[in-house]
Amino acid sequence: MSTSNGDLVRTRVAASEPRPPRRLRTWQFLVVVAVYLAVVQGVSALLAAGQDIAYAAPTSIDYLVRVVVVPVGLAIAFTLGVAARLGAWQEVFVSDRPVRRWLVVVPVALLVTVVVITNYPGLASHGPAFALLLLVATLMVGFGEELLFRGIGVVAFRRNGYSEFRVGLWTTLLFGAAHGTNIVTSGPKALVQVVLTSATGLVFYLVLRSTGALVAAMAAHGLWDFSVLSGQVNPGEPWPLVNLAGVVLAVLLLLVLVFRRRITPAPTDQQKDGER
């Protein structure tokens, strides 16, 4: 059977056109979150079995490799595979939902807090190799969790028709609830972590919105974890400045609550005409 030149041209053009991005349904996103957590918790438990390792007490390079680097690295590989499957890299890494300029105070306040509360003496006592690996490990956590929740999660909820308020709300609550799985290693105090991580999740969402870049949220998340965990590198010597982290979060959330109606820019005349 012969094929006309026109049919061949149309076939080649169709093959060269990019496929439309896939939509991830809400329940499918929940499955992705469950798999991510299973990888992190499962591999971490497997590698830490028989070791004298306390939860959230990064006191050695061995701890960081077993509990963070390897399990989170595998979970990141899985999450990148999901993002590739969606075929929406631009949409995942760039947020096109503008906010008012004053929200730049959120990433700036986080950065200043990180500089202030980091336990420099504690890190120095463990040596530069440990400090560098802790930074790499926390940046990996920031990359993986932000890609999952503020990247894939935000896109998934937006594509399923959720309002931007509900997008921020649900991805924040799921981010906090996901840390409830730490009850396996830390016991009931993981419930406190759920509340705290929900608060930080909302702040990281605001970093995404205020900068328009997922990479900024990833960096903020990783550096925040680095500064907070640095206060626990010497469990017998609590680092008092780390308590400022909770104060900063409370102030930022109160600020957003008070000025919540001034987060989204007022519609332009052109947008108003389009709505009529």
Side-chain angles (χ1 to χ4, degrees):
M1 182 180 296
S2 60
T3 305
S4 66
N5 291 335
D7 291 338
L8 286 173
V9 170
R10 283 191 291 271
T11 301
R12 290 172 181 171
V13 170
S16 64
E17 291 178 351
R19 294 181 179 180
R22 296 178 174 86
R23 188 180 76 171
L24 192 68
R25 299 187 182 278
T26 303
W27 69 266
Q28 292 173 320
F29 174 67
L30 295 178
V31 171
V32 171
V33 172
V35 173
Y36 182 97
L37 295 174
V39 171
V40 171
Q41 296 289 352
V43 175
S44 177
L46 180 64
L47 296 180
Q51 304 294 316
D52 186 16
I53 291 177
Y55 172 74
T59 58
S60 67
I61 289 178
D62 183 63
Y63 172 98
L64 294 175
V65 172
R66 291 175 181 270
V67 178
V68 184
V69 175
V70 174
V72 173
L74 293 174
I76 287 175
F78 163 73
T79 313
L80 286 172
V82 174
R85 178 71 177 171
L86 285 177
W89 293 107
Q90 177 74 11
E91 192 176 356
V92 167
F93 279 92
V94 179
S95 177
D96 60 353
R97 309 295 171 96
V99 292
R100 303 216 179 189
R101 292 181 179 178
W102 71 265
L103 268 182
V104 73
V105 71
V106 174
V108 171
L110 283 187
L111 181 59
V112 171
T113 304
V114 165
V115 173
V116 171
I117 72 173
T118 297
N119 182 8
Y120 301 105
L123 293 172
S125 68
H126 285 270
F130 171 83
L132 179 60
L133 185 58
L134 177 61
L135 177 60
V136 170
T138 54
L139 287 175
M140 288 178 63
V141 173
F143 182 93
E145 292 187 355
E146 292 307 302
L147 176 60
L148 177 61
F149 290 99
R150 255 66 64 183
I152 296 172
V154 164
V155 170
F157 278 100
R158 283 175 178 171
R159 287 186 178 178
N160 281 283
Y162 287 76
S163 67
E164 197 60 32
F165 171 79
R166 294 182 182 275
V167 169
L169 175 65
W170 284 113
T171 53
T172 294
L173 292 178
L174 287 172
F175 175 71
H179 287 77
T181 57
N182 290 328
I183 196 171
V184 176
T185 53
S186 63
K189 66 180 181 181
L191 300 179
V192 177
Q193 189 185 20
V194 168
V195 177
L196 293 177
T197 52
S198 294
T200 55
L202 178 57
V203 171
F204 297 148
Y205 169 76
L206 293 174
V207 172
L208 169 68
R209 292 290 305 279
S210 62
T211 63
L214 181 64
V215 173
M218 290 173 168
H221 188 154
L223 292 174
W224 182 265
D225 284 1
F226 174 76
S227 62
V228 171
L229 286 177
S230 73
Q232 303 176 49
V233 296
N234 293 320
E237 303 174 11
W239 184 244
L241 288 180
V242 77
N243 295 320
L244 288 176
V247 176
V248 172
L249 286 178
V251 171
L252 287 176
L253 294 177
L254 180 61
L255 185 66
V256 171
L257 180 63
V258 171
F259 295 101
R260 65 187 182 279
R261 297 186 183 279
R262 297 187 178 183
I263 291 179
T264 304
T268 63
D269 293 338
Q270 185 177 8
Q271 290 174 326
K272 290 178 181 179
D273 293 339
E275 292 174 356
R276 291 170 183 167

